[in-house]
Amino acid sequence: MSSLFPVLTDPSAARRPALRFGERALTYSGLAAAAGAVAARISGRGRVAVWATNSLETAVGVVAALVAGVPVVPLNPKSGEKELAHILSDSAPSLVLAAAADELPSAVRELERVDVDVYGVGDVPPSDDLPDTDPALVIYTSGTTGPPKGAVLPRRAVAATLDALADAWQWSGEDVLVHGLPLFHVHGLVLGVLGPLRRGGSVRHLGRFSTEGVARELNDGATMLFGVPTMYHRIAETLPGDPELAKALANARLLVSGSAALPVHDHERIAAATGRRVIERYGMTETLMNTSIRADGEPRPGTVGVPLPGVELRLAEEDGSLITAYDGEHVGEIQVRGPNLFTEYLNRPDATADAFTADGWFRTGDMAVRDDDGYVRIVGRKATDLIKSGGYKIGAGEIENALLEHPGVSEAAVTGEPDDDLGERIVAWIVPADPQSPPAAAELADHVARRLAPHKRPRVVHYLDALPRNDMGKILKRALPHG
């Protein structure tokens, strides 16, 4: 049993900055008072929903629920009515926390509403006596293969992940984190808000991501930046003409990318302009964080580092047998176990049972190779990114990286489609840098064959104006026109 935020009851931290969203900010004493006031109103109420806008109210509401021992269901404000109705029916929250100015959709308006007063005053209830196995959050998966499932994350998982990242990133109370990530998911909420608060540091949320905001905050004392690949791509595109941004990134202690793979091409452009390497980590809703490049380790572009402290990781073949030779070539499914894992899918014992092996390892559905020194390189999702062509198992990710190195390619996605001869043929979806003069399919195929191997070249190329992406910047391959 332990407190998630011991700093809230630490008198020596009272005046330290905790949260800043735009012009509004709270010190730790202000956060403790505001969270205490909300916690008193919701204590003992079962699960509560939070209308998770990028606001001070969301951060205060989530902290209030966690110190009161009430599980939080973050709601994505961009969710459609059908998805919201499913989540509310499935999680059955007793009320919704929101900012007073928020207009809630009809599905949410049926709930009792508690407005969060970020300048309220109350006592912080002690949380040291809350069991680590108690649920902290119920976060819904993206639902690409059916209705979203609610992953129940215990307090233990939140604490274990944040403490493991503190070890890997040398993350301390002196760090000031800047980001513009949404607060309804693991990256922006757990890592980007709860992470700094557990360390006793501070977070400055940009509200909406901009390269100007990143430069301003990093040049004004922020030490860490969290982002997704689309954000770092915008940074890479902006750097050549923005010396202030280059200076800001060069001064940062840590640049972290997650939620999807950062193309190697963007890694190299940022490193060349700033002298700083972006590091990647790997996690998912059900497991929080599994691996990361360490702050004191080798920043190896294209990899997600090594398992975090306390996390066990192995690769398995399709038949369930384990890969024992880690040579950077054998592709297998990542399986993990450790204190970072969720406990169940809410109301879905069947799905929960299917997600674990008989000996208790979680099947991630992510395919990877592992080097002999432990570094993991993800090649894609088992369902959408593993292509079996001509007797080879090929990961879409490495082909996408190769395509992005072509100067005529702005964005790239790779899928497989049935082929009578090969089993599956490799298909590339390209957003050309110059729509009036896209690179020829044969030119792209030769480009990939030279960098990787002839059997990894795309056999079909489609040209698009843009790739479909979700809120976290992940490419939605199931939404491709002919995928």
Side-chain angles (χ1 to χ4, degrees):
M1 298 186 185
S2 62
S3 169
L4 288 177
F5 312 112
V7 68
L8 289 180
T9 53
D10 179 359
S12 67
R15 295 188 178 182
R16 284 160 59 180
L19 300 166
R20 193 173 87 196
F21 285 74
E23 298 301 311
R24 300 191 301 160
L26 287 174
T27 62
Y28 273 99
S29 63
L31 173 59
V38 176
R41 297 181 65 185
I42 65 174
S43 182
R45 290 296 302 270
R47 285 186 288 271
V48 300
V50 174
W51 191 245
T53 58
N54 286 351
S55 66
L56 199 54
E57 282 83 359
T58 296
V60 170
V62 171
V63 171
L66 292 176
V67 297
V70 177
V72 175
V73 184
L75 299 178
N76 176 0
K78 293 183 179 178
S79 290
E81 291 215 3
K82 183 178 178 183
E83 183 172 281
L84 271 177
H86 164 73
I87 290 171
L88 294 173
S89 170
D90 190 54
S91 61
S94 58
L95 55 86
V96 60
L97 296 174
D102 287 341
E103 284 195 31
L104 304 182
S106 58
V108 184
R109 283 200 297 269
E110 296 172 11
L111 289 173
E112 178 187 341
R113 174 173 177 159
V114 172
D115 288 336
V116 175
D117 178 2
V118 298
Y119 302 117
V121 178
D123 297 323
V124 177
S127 54
D128 289 347
D129 57 349
L130 294 169
D132 290 344
T133 52
D134 276 8
L137 298 152
V138 182
I139 298 185
Y140 278 78
T141 62
S142 54
T144 53
T145 56
K149 298 190 291 288
V152 179
L153 294 162
R155 299 174 70 86
R156 173 202 71 227
V158 175
T161 275
L162 296 179
D163 293 347
L165 289 176
D167 177 272
W169 296 344
Q170 299 170 6
W171 195 352
S172 76
E174 302 303 310
D175 279 306
V176 178
L177 170 65
V178 58
H179 70 86
L181 297 162
L183 301 189
F184 52 81
H185 211 264
V186 167
H187 194 171
L189 179 61
V190 178
L191 274 60
V193 173
L194 306 186
L197 298 182
R198 183 161 174 82
R199 300 271 70 81
S202 64
V203 58
R204 301 178 190 171
H205 197 285
L206 297 173
R208 182 183 293 273
F209 171 84
S210 70
T211 55
E212 296 85 0
V214 167
R216 179 185 69 244
E217 298 302 340
L218 288 177
N219 279 326
D220 189 32
T223 62
M224 299 167 67
L225 171 67
F226 288 178
V228 297
T230 49
M231 296 174 180
Y232 280 105
H233 179 72
R234 283 175 58 188
I235 286 171
E237 294 278 293
T238 305
L239 276 169
D242 192 338
E244 279 301 299
L245 180 61
K247 182 181 116 182
L249 293 170
N251 289 337
R253 189 181 73 77
L254 211 61
L255 308 174
V256 184
S257 180
S259 295
L262 179 62
V264 172
H265 180 53
D266 287 335
H267 269 287
E268 299 301 343
R269 290 197 293 170
I270 291 169
T274 68
R276 302 290 306 176
R277 284 281 183 188
V278 179
I279 69 169
E280 293 188 81
R281 83 298 179 284
Y282 159 62
M284 54 196 306
T285 304
E286 294 91 339
T287 67
L288 299 184
M289 293 301 111
N290 298 310
T291 73
S292 181
I293 301 284
R294 295 183 60 86
D296 56 1
E298 178 191 349
R300 201 177 295 174
T303 79
V304 291
V306 297
L308 289 167
V311 178
E312 296 177 85
L313 183 148
R314 69 188 189 186
L315 300 183
E317 299 274 16
E318 284 182 88
D319 62 5
S321 61
L322 301 181
I323 294 174
T324 55
Y326 291 136
D327 55 6
E329 292 294 329
H330 281 75
V331 176
E333 182 188 17
I334 297 174
Q335 297 180 353
V336 293
R337 69 179 179 187
N340 55 312
L341 264 60
F342 76 133
T343 52
E344 63 173 336
Y345 290 118
L346 191 65
N347 305 320
R348 292 289 304 276
D350 54 336
T352 305
D354 288 346
F356 288 88
T357 65
D359 53 348
W361 293 71
F362 176 70
R363 299 184 178 102
T364 66
D366 290 316
M367 308 300 290
V369 299
R370 194 172 183 183
D371 294 332
D372 58 6
D373 59 0
Y375 274 67
V376 175
R377 178 164 55 87
I378 296 171
V379 300
R381 289 290 292 168
K382 188 176 184 179
T384 56
D385 296 322
L386 185 67
I387 302 165
K388 297 173 185 175
S389 183
Y392 295 98
K393 286 195 291 187
I394 302 165
E398 62 178 342
I399 304 173
E400 290 162 355
N401 268 322
L403 288 166
L404 287 165
E405 291 175 10
H406 190 287
V409 174
S410 175
E411 297 181 68
V414 168
T415 59
E417 66 182 23
D419 184 278
D420 291 339
D421 180 41
L422 297 169
E424 283 186 293
R425 58 179 169 267
I426 296 167
V427 180
W429 305 80
I430 299 298
V431 177
D434 179 2
Q436 305 304 314
S437 180
E443 180 185 343
L444 293 174
D446 290 344
H447 172 84
V448 171
R450 285 195 303 273
R451 276 162 175 72
L452 300 177
H455 68 269
K456 296 180 180 180
R457 70 188 186 278
R459 309 286 177 139
V460 180
V461 176
H462 298 293
Y463 299 93
L464 300 173
D465 294 330
L467 295 176
R469 295 179 184 270
N470 68 9
D471 290 314
M472 301 302 290
K474 290 183 182 178
I475 297 170
L476 298 173
K477 293 191 177 181
R478 295 176 192 277
L480 290 166
H482 307 291

